[in-house]
Amino acid sequence: MSKINVLDKHIAELIAAGEVVERPASVIKELVENSIDAGAASITVEIKNGGITYMRVTDNGSGIARDDVAVAFLRHATSKVRSQDDLESISTLGFRGEALASIAAVARVELLTATRGELAGTRYEIDGGVEQACEDAGCAQGTTLVVRDLFYNTPARMKFLKKDVTEANAIAAVMDRLALSHPEISVRFIRDSRETLNSPGDGKLKSAIYAVFGKEFTAGLIPVEYELNGVKLWGFISKPASARPNRSMQHFFINGRYIKSRTAMVALEEAFKGSLMVGKVPACVLHIGISYQAVDVNVHPSKIEVRFINEKPVFDAVYHGVKTALHRGDTPNVMSFQKQETAVFEQPKAPVQIRFSAPPAAGAVQPQPAVPVIPAVRPAAPSYSFAVSDSHRPTFHTDFAAANIEFTEPFPVVREDQAAVPAVTEPVAPENPAVPEPGPAEPSDSPEPEKLVGEAFHTYIILEWGDELVFIDKHAAHERMLYEKLRAQEGRADQQMLLEPVAVTLEKNEYAAVMDSLDICAAAGFEIDDFGSGTVLVRSVPLILGDDDIAGTVMEIAGYLQSAKNDITTEKLDWLYHNVACRAAVKAGDLSSPTELAALARRMESEDIRYCPHGRPVSIVMKKKDLERQFGRIQ
């Protein structure tokens, strides 16, 4: 008996549909690409319940002729490829002829379409790949396609869909890319009866960026326009001061198609090298124009990845274009000192008293006017300058054991130019000092007190303790202290209310992750509200965070929450404590006073801190005999 079976048409279509239709966002992507290829100037997308129960895509493109409607839903039916040679220079977004057939195989689909000049449009209905109706209908030029009950006949696929809000945010990300890829098209997105995107379609990329990401993000952009070796580059890059902690806001487009290109990404970040802080990456919306014959877009199922015949021209164009834009657009902030004029203060004149009485008699002596007041000029306050000489710097040999210092958060940092000069006072000798009689010295069993020797490289505290030298990493020690404090305050973290909420624009999937984890953020001390369209408002932050980069902190948290969807709540909360403690702790290289160093070392000893939250050791010990052996004092 034969073991190889030929699958029937319906099963084969269900299997093939799984390669094209992964989730509602896949359906929207295929349909809006068809609308763009049809020459639409306006596209409207409406969804309900994350697109699982209802999706509608409406455009004003060329429409589909009555004779072609039923054929369009057959597998491998397309108007964009006619011969093998067409595959060598694909200029359209769609070309495989699989989208409509795959969607119709796993959903209930209704199509309304009309071409220019037709007296009546066409209504076509197909459920699960089976035609239900084809009839005349009144409709405007263009195409409206309604998809209901996605995966109604494949329950195994339905189980793998995410929550409605997650699926809706994935569709929102597709619509964002559509608006950015074709700013000449007016894009409208309606989500559960609420409009969340409406781009003007005026052909200006900056207008589309403003509609998608808002004012704050758009204000921190630098325009790019460059051409090299036949490769055109245009768009916008973020200013170095507006860099982000991850690559979620890097958007590249090849000939109007959204792609993920490592070549372009590396070129962008190489151009920014030396202009960004460590751990930061630039954001961008960059369009690359290249010959259709020089790029192959048929190498990935979702057509997101492409392959270049020669990557070097693309790399060079992106690198030099971004470098040129940075040189022209990233102007440093200029600080000006304006001379203040000396204020002149005039004493107020005595009020004039008006008497309503009879005029004075003839010959009466008139009262003389008061002596005029001379304006008083307040002299300007004298200015003083202070110079601290090395001979007056405070000594680091502090009796650590005798010091009774309480350490408070956040750990203060003293700048070198603000270091206070200790006052030197001479001891006052008593008039009749009592001379004690000499006696035998009593032996002491107490160990030698600790001494704060100083600090090395503004990073490591050096402590002399008996016959040992202890080196303490002040950042690691302080980070662990703050981390333990946050853990002890779980759910009750001290917060500080911001005078003005901070708006943070996020990528749609990161935005969804934050919205799903508001309770976790609140337990860590962050009060975050939804501002809509991928933006959140930060109203409160943990008290120990101070005035750190709040927007950057929230972006980093959002990136983690999006990548750690499957982590349990305890792991997510622990990561948040790590992140806040690391940001709030004193940094390596900060100048600290001897009092602060002593307090930190004393607290580290009392709390028995050995490792930072990342597992690095907090301190190391060097024995006196090891040091003497290095100098040859002992063998």
Side-chain angles (χ1 to χ4, degrees):
M1 181 177 177
S2 176
K3 295 183 179 180
I4 300 178
N5 301 318
V6 178
L7 298 176
D8 60 36
K9 178 184 175 183
H10 178 64
I11 297 177
E13 287 179 348
L14 291 178
I15 295 174
E19 299 178 359
V20 179
V21 182
E22 298 177 359
R23 59 195 305 187
S26 305
V27 175
I28 295 298
K29 175 181 178 296
E30 297 292 342
L31 296 182
V32 297
E33 285 182 352
N34 285 342
S35 297
I36 295 172
D37 291 338
S42 174
I43 300 175
T44 300
V45 174
E46 182 179 0
I47 66 169
K48 295 179 181 178
N49 304 115
I52 299 172
T53 61
Y54 183 86
M55 290 178 281
R56 184 179 67 184
V57 178
T58 303
D59 67 61
N60 61 350
S62 58
I64 305 174
R66 168 71 66 88
D67 296 338
D68 292 333
V69 169
V71 179
F73 285 88
L74 298 179
R75 191 163 299 280
H76 308 304
T78 179
S79 61
K80 302 162 189 176
V81 176
R82 296 186 177 275
S83 66
Q84 180 178 345
D85 296 337
D86 294 338
L87 295 176
E88 298 180 1
S89 57
I90 297 174
S91 60
T92 56
L93 297 178
F95 52 87
R96 292 174 180 163
E98 295 180 333
L100 291 180
S102 298
I103 295 168
V106 293
R108 309 182 196 275
V109 179
E110 180 184 0
L111 173 72
L112 290 169
T113 185
T115 59
R116 177 176 296 180
E118 283 188 331
L119 296 179
T122 303
R123 177 183 176 273
Y124 184 79
E125 187 177 346
I126 180 171
D127 292 352
V130 179
E131 180 179 321
Q132 302 294 325
C134 184
E135 56 191 13
D136 290 343
C139 57
Q141 177 185 333
T143 302
T144 298
L145 210 151
V146 180
V147 180
R148 295 183 176 90
D149 303 327
L150 185 65
F151 298 136
Y152 79 98
N153 55 353
T154 53
R157 298 294 303 276
M158 178 74 73
K159 293 190 301 184
F160 290 95
L161 293 178
K162 307 297 183 182
K163 293 187 297 185
D164 291 356
V165 64
T166 304
E167 297 296 344
N169 279 301
I171 296 176
V174 172
M175 299 304 297
D176 289 350
R177 295 164 188 164
L178 168 63
L180 297 175
S181 64
H182 290 81
E184 74 280 4
I185 299 177
S186 175
V187 178
R188 187 169 176 237
F189 180 43
I190 303 172
R191 175 174 172 177
D192 294 322
S193 303
R194 186 168 68 94
E195 183 181 88
T196 60
L197 174 64
N198 193 347
S199 66
D202 58 0
K204 298 178 181 178
L205 181 57
K206 196 166 188 178
S207 299
I209 296 174
Y210 188 96
V212 172
F213 296 125
K215 177 181 178 182
E216 298 294 333
F217 181 83
T218 308
L221 297 178
I222 299 174
V224 179
E225 190 169 356
Y226 195 76
E227 184 174 0
L228 180 67
N229 298 328
V231 179
K232 295 182 180 180
L233 181 73
W234 71 96
F236 293 86
I237 56 175
S238 64
K239 296 179 180 178
S242 302
R244 305 178 75 88
N246 55 53
R247 298 183 177 90
S248 63
M249 297 295 278
Q250 291 182 358
H251 300 273
F252 295 98
F253 302 90
I254 294 283
N255 297 332
R257 182 191 304 275
Y258 173 77
I259 64 161
K260 292 182 179 179
S261 170
R262 181 164 179 80
T263 300
M265 180 197 72
V266 172
L268 170 72
E269 296 183 9
E270 284 293 321
F272 268 86
K273 187 169 287 186
S275 301
L276 292 180
M277 295 178 60
V278 177
K280 297 286 188 177
V281 294
C284 72
V285 178
L286 288 177
H287 283 255
I288 301 172
I290 191 172
S291 170
Y292 294 117
Q293 291 82 9
V295 57
D296 186 1
V297 299
N298 192 23
V299 296
H300 191 272
S302 61
K303 297 174 281 191
I304 290 180
E305 296 179 7
V306 298
R307 187 172 298 161
F308 300 104
I309 294 178
N310 186 3
E311 294 184 350
K312 191 175 186 305
V314 177
F315 182 94
D316 291 343
V318 175
Y319 177 82
H320 293 293
V322 172
K323 270 287 189 185
T324 303
L326 277 175
H327 179 72
R328 295 175 179 173
D330 184 29
T331 55
N333 295 328
V334 179
M335 182 180 295
S336 61
F337 297 91
Q338 298 180 354
K339 183 179 178 181
Q340 295 183 354
E341 299 180 358
T342 303
V344 178
F345 299 90
E346 294 187 4
Q347 295 182 1
K349 297 180 179 180
V352 179
Q353 185 175 4
I354 303 176
R355 298 180 181 276
F356 296 90
S357 57
V365 179
Q366 299 293 331
Q368 297 296 323
V371 178
V373 177
I374 301 176
V377 180
R378 180 178 295 178
S383 60
Y384 302 91
S385 61
F386 298 90
V388 181
S389 63
D390 292 337
S391 60
H392 288 87
R393 295 191 181 278
T395 175
F396 285 90
H397 294 281
T398 304
D399 187 355
F400 176 71
N404 184 16
I405 302 166
E406 182 180 359
F407 182 75
T408 58
E409 289 84 15
F411 190 78
V413 177
V414 179
R415 292 171 44 194
E416 189 171 0
D417 57 352
Q418 294 177 344
V421 180
V424 180
T425 58
E426 295 292 338
V428 180
E431 296 180 359
N432 298 317
V435 181
E437 296 182 0
E442 296 183 1
S444 175
D445 296 333
S446 61
E448 183 178 353
E450 303 89 345
K451 291 183 180 179
L452 181 66
V453 178
E455 183 182 14
F457 312 119
H458 297 315
T459 303
Y460 305 103
I461 304 171
I462 305 175
L463 192 69
E464 182 182 334
W465 196 344
D467 62 346
E468 296 176 343
L469 278 180
V470 182
F471 297 84
I472 302 172
D473 186 332
K474 66 181 183 181
H475 171 74
H478 192 215
E479 181 182 1
R480 183 71 188 200
M481 295 173 189
L482 298 180
Y483 169 72
E484 294 296 341
K485 179 178 180 180
L486 288 172
R487 286 186 58 187
Q489 297 177 341
E490 183 173 345
R492 300 174 291 103
D494 295 332
Q495 293 179 309
Q496 62 174 350
M497 182 72 70
L498 301 178
L499 293 177
E500 182 178 354
V502 177
V504 183
T505 302
L506 303 172
E507 192 268 338
K508 289 299 187 292
N509 291 322
E510 294 178 349
Y511 165 76
V514 172
M515 290 296 99
D516 291 341
S517 305
L518 291 179
D519 54 340
I520 297 176
C521 295
F526 292 90
E527 182 184 347
I528 299 177
D529 288 341
D530 184 8
F531 197 57
S533 301
T535 302
V536 297
L537 282 182
V538 185
R539 300 189 182 277
S540 298
V541 296
L543 182 62
I544 63 173
L545 197 58
D547 56 352
D548 198 55
D549 181 12
I550 295 173
T553 302
V554 174
M555 291 177 196
E556 190 171 348
I557 291 173
Y560 165 76
L561 292 175
Q562 195 275 329
S563 63
K565 298 176 183 176
N566 298 325
D567 289 358
I568 61 176
T569 300
T570 304
E571 292 177 345
K572 294 179 181 178
L573 199 55
D574 199 58
W575 185 93
L576 288 177
Y577 292 155
H578 284 183
N579 184 273
V580 172
C582 185
R583 286 178 172 272
V586 60
K587 304 299 186 292
D590 288 342
L591 183 64
S592 307
S593 69
T595 302
E596 295 162 346
L597 299 176
L600 181 60
R602 187 180 187 88
R603 180 172 171 184
M604 193 198 79
E605 176 195 2
S606 64
E607 298 184 9
D608 192 22
I609 294 176
R610 301 180 183 181
Y611 300 96
C612 80
H614 304 287
R616 293 191 296 108
V618 170
S619 63
I620 59 174
V621 178
M622 177 180 287
K623 299 284 187 180
K624 179 181 179 183
K625 62 181 180 181
D626 294 334
L627 188 62
E628 291 180 338
R629 186 177 291 113
Q630 292 292 327
F631 281 102
R633 287 181 172 270
I634 60 175
Q635 298 298 325

